[in-house]
Amino acid sequence: MKFVVKLFPEITIKSKSARKQMTKILRQNLQVLFRQHMLSADVQNKWDSLLIIMNQEDDVSRRKAIDILSHTPGIGFSLEIGEYEFTTLDDAYQKVRDEYRERVAGKSFCVRIKRAGHHDFTSHQAEIYMGGGILKETDAASVSLKNPEVVVNAEIRNDRVQVVRQQIKGLGGYPLGSQGDVLSLISGGFDSTVASYLMTRRGLKTHFCFFNLGGSAHEIGVKQVAHYLWSTYGESHKVKFVTVPFEEVVTEILTKVETSQMGVVLKRMMFRAASRVADDLRLPALVTGEAVAQVASQTITNLAVIDRVTDHMVLRPLAAMDKQEIINTARRIGTEAFAANMPEYCGVISVNPTTMGDRKRVEETELDFDMAVLEDALSRSVTQRIDEVITEAESGLEDVPIVETPKLNDVIIDIRHPAESADNPLELTNNRVLEIPFYELESRRAEFDEAHRYLLYCQKGTMSRIHAHHLNIDSKIAFGIFNEPDIRRPLADAQQKEPTNA
């Protein structure tokens, strides 16, 4: 089993030294991820790509490898390939024909060949030869060079033939760890989770800072979504999760601050605290999910006043995005379900909040605020490793049953994204499998009945466990998770293993 990893296009136009460094980091990240998930693989640097040679041929390992390649920053796309020795053009054609015979049946197709090395034919001549042969010797409907239903891809490189079995869409961006570290102010809603994802995708190790305005349910929810973001898109590196208790800060604002200024003052207090946390962790920048004009405190004038309290760079990746655009991104990356069900705590709601922030007026208002309250909150902050934030006993996750051998009456629900499940369908002999993406589970609860136990399935198990826990609350229907044997460990066990380069 082999995969060719193609770099994100922006990496390929970098200087030779920058490209070399990023490719090296991407290779190290993939090695860590394969090792963490108990996959034996050799990751080789080929300058313009990475070649991954898997030492396991089972379908579970294949699905896990594809999941890693589709969620690792820095990858443009990957190719699952069958590799053979090149002897003659006709022999290469036969290999290509046999790989694509079933896929082109009844469909239009075209052939795309890349060639490198010394051969007595050109890439175009190889395409014509193979296209004619496939049309004649298979059940393909026709050749279509402009709008084919199937593209037959292969590469002939010197003495090797690589036949593309499937193309796996990558995450894009830059290799994680290649652009430094940032601290993301995360509330668990749509905006902050999408902002955190975008920073991770851009190659930044994204640490999390949560201001608890009141309630353990909100804190648990935020920890769950932060853990999901890390385990799905940034697991090659360990990051920190910092919780700052902000209940008394909110109380101080409510009793001491002018009503119209409350929202801006609360943000300024959060930025002051986040700057201290960032200093402790030696991080140069803060990240927020603020979008210009989305709420009163996010007008340009108010944001300028808020930024005055910190010397750190403030990154706002959502600044020019529409709300629906943000929600669509949350749906695509898997955080919509978390955000939609996140317990909310409205700590400060201003009456007629100011939209035209005045720095002098805000500073005068803050004179009545007792800064010792903020200092006390910082002294009681808790810093945890991200792989340790989900305590199963307090979140209820330990009560979710993990099943490796389903009963005949169990129904398996594949909750992966449709594109992911389409590329690697889950096929079981004895159990019915439903494909319901994680973001549709709540809206389709009426389809479930008490006659069955439902086992949720995803590649890593984390998403399945969290959703099964939520579905089990106040429900007469039993939900658990289906855990493929010999590939994923229970969450608590997985957390004990730390990558060597973290």
Side-chain angles (χ1 to χ4, degrees):
M1 192 188 309
K2 293 184 180 180
F3 298 91
V4 174
V5 176
K6 299 293 186 178
L7 305 176
F8 178 55
E10 287 185 22
I11 298 176
T12 64
I13 62 175
K14 299 292 183 184
S15 66
K16 183 177 180 180
S17 59
R19 180 174 175 175
K20 182 178 180 181
Q21 178 66 12
M22 290 189 187
T23 305
K24 178 182 178 181
I25 293 174
L26 178 58
R27 177 174 178 265
Q28 291 173 339
N29 291 349
L30 288 172
Q31 287 176 320
V32 169
L33 290 168
F34 281 114
R35 186 165 58 248
Q36 279 182 321
H37 294 280
M38 298 180 290
L39 295 174
S40 177
D42 181 24
V43 184
Q44 301 176 3
N45 190 346
K46 297 296 184 181
W47 171 242
D48 63 339
S49 62
L50 295 174
L51 176 63
I52 299 174
I53 302 174
M54 300 287 296
N55 298 319
Q56 297 154 287
E57 296 292 333
D58 61 281
D59 194 52
V60 173
S61 298
R62 174 178 171 273
R63 288 203 297 268
K64 173 52 66 175
I66 290 173
D67 183 68
I68 290 172
L69 295 176
S70 62
H71 290 86
T72 299
I75 297 177
F77 64 91
S78 302
L79 303 172
E80 182 183 7
I81 63 170
E83 189 172 57
Y84 310 94
E85 182 181 359
F86 175 79
T87 54
T88 65
L89 178 59
D90 185 68
D91 181 66
Y93 152 69
Q94 292 181 43
K95 298 291 193 303
V96 174
R97 176 201 62 197
D98 292 344
E99 286 278 3
Y100 279 88
R101 183 185 296 277
E102 294 183 3
R103 275 178 278 178
V104 300
K107 299 179 180 178
S108 62
F109 76 98
C110 72
V111 179
R112 296 285 182 259
I113 303 296
K114 291 184 179 180
R115 188 190 61 81
H118 299 286
H119 305 96
D120 58 0
F121 56 87
T122 65
S123 296
H124 184 58
Q125 289 172 333
E127 290 172 351
I128 294 174
Y129 184 87
M130 293 188 185
I134 290 173
L135 183 63
K136 180 180 179 180
E137 297 182 1
T138 71
D139 294 328
S142 62
V143 173
S144 175
L145 299 180
K146 291 187 176 180
N147 296 299
E149 295 176 89
V150 178
V151 177
V152 177
N153 282 308
E155 296 187 13
I156 300 174
R157 291 181 174 271
N158 299 312
D159 61 347
R160 310 298 296 174
V161 179
Q162 296 178 343
V163 184
V164 178
R165 291 173 175 166
Q166 73 162 313
Q167 180 170 310
I168 304 155
K169 181 176 174 59
L171 197 63
Y174 293 118
L176 190 59
S178 66
Q179 306 302 314
D181 297 51
V182 293
L183 181 68
S184 179
L185 280 60
I186 187 168
S187 66
F190 293 101
D191 302 339
S192 63
T193 54
V194 171
S196 299
Y197 158 78
L198 291 174
M199 292 294 97
T200 298
R201 180 184 178 274
R202 205 61 182 172
L204 292 152
K205 285 177 59 178
T206 303
H207 305 261
F208 302 97
C209 183
F210 168 60
F211 295 100
N212 192 344
L213 304 183
S216 60
H218 190 187
E219 181 176 350
I220 292 171
V222 174
K223 285 181 175 180
Q224 288 178 347
V225 71
H227 186 277
Y228 167 77
L229 284 168
W230 167 75
S231 66
T232 305
Y233 302 107
E235 199 176 15
S236 58
H237 292 72
K238 290 291 190 293
V239 296
K240 303 293 186 182
F241 185 98
V242 181
T243 302
V244 183
F246 240 52
E247 299 97 324
E248 293 181 11
V249 174
V250 170
T251 301
E252 185 73 5
I253 291 174
L254 290 172
T255 56
K256 301 287 184 65
V257 174
E258 181 185 338
T259 301
S260 64
Q261 307 296 323
M262 285 181 176
V264 172
V265 171
L266 176 62
K267 286 290 184 69
R268 282 166 62 94
M269 294 302 167
M270 287 180 173
F271 271 42
R272 286 185 174 101
S275 294
R276 292 275 293 278
V277 172
D279 284 338
D280 291 342
L281 298 179
R282 298 183 179 180
L283 306 178
L286 308 178
V287 177
T288 79
E290 294 162 318
V292 173
Q294 188 178 114
V295 295
S297 65
Q298 295 175 18
T299 61
I300 284 293
T301 50
N302 279 343
L303 292 176
V305 172
I306 292 168
D307 285 359
R308 288 283 187 173
V309 300
T310 178
D311 293 329
H312 288 78
M313 174 187 292
V314 180
L315 301 173
R316 294 184 171 94
L318 311 186
M321 291 179 67
D322 299 329
K323 188 64 176 185
Q324 190 58 52
E325 191 178 358
I326 295 169
I327 293 173
N328 291 342
T329 303
R331 180 178 300 120
R332 177 171 55 82
I333 67 175
T335 59
E336 182 192 32
F338 292 96
N341 294 288
M342 188 65 62
E344 290 291 346
Y345 181 85
C346 300
V348 172
I349 300 179
S350 297
V351 178
N352 297 320
T354 180
T355 58
M356 300 293 291
D358 182 285
R359 179 186 173 188
K360 183 177 180 180
R361 183 177 177 184
V362 171
E363 290 176 345
E364 289 176 351
T365 298
E366 287 181 342
L367 291 175
D368 293 329
F369 185 95
D370 184 0
M371 288 297 176
V373 176
L374 183 64
E375 291 296 328
D376 180 65
L378 283 166
S379 70
R380 292 184 291 114
S381 64
V382 177
T383 301
Q384 296 172 279
R385 289 189 349 185
I386 189 63
D387 57 331
E388 297 175 341
V389 297
I390 296 183
T391 303
E392 296 182 6
E394 70 176 12
S395 64
L397 296 182
E398 63 176 0
D399 298 327
V400 178
I402 303 171
V403 179
E404 292 188 356
T405 306
K407 298 178 181 178
L408 291 177
N409 198 41
D410 289 341
V411 177
I412 312 301
I413 303 179
D414 186 344
I415 69 169
R416 294 174 296 169
H417 191 282
E420 187 180 348
S421 58
D423 288 339
N424 307 282
L426 177 66
E427 298 177 355
L428 298 177
T429 304
N430 300 320
N431 296 88
R432 182 159 61 106
V433 177
L434 303 178
E435 293 185 0
I436 303 178
F438 50 81
Y439 50 81
E440 293 183 4
L441 283 171
E442 284 293 332
S443 63
R444 296 177 63 175
R445 288 185 72 145
E447 299 178 23
F448 309 139
D449 62 77
E450 297 179 39
H452 299 282
R453 179 175 63 170
Y454 294 89
L455 303 177
L456 308 189
Y457 168 81
C458 66
Q459 286 294 149
K460 295 182 178 179
T462 304
M463 193 73 161
S464 297
R465 182 177 292 202
I466 292 171
H467 278 283
H469 165 64
H470 287 308
L471 289 168
N472 277 326
I473 297 175
D474 298 325
S475 175
K476 296 181 180 179
I477 301 171
F479 293 90
I481 68 173
F482 172 54
N483 186 54
E484 289 180 296
D486 301 326
I487 184 64
R488 283 196 319 274
R489 295 155 290 163
L491 184 61
D493 293 338
Q495 291 173 351
Q496 295 176 5
K497 186 176 180 62
E498 182 176 355
T500 55
N501 73 338

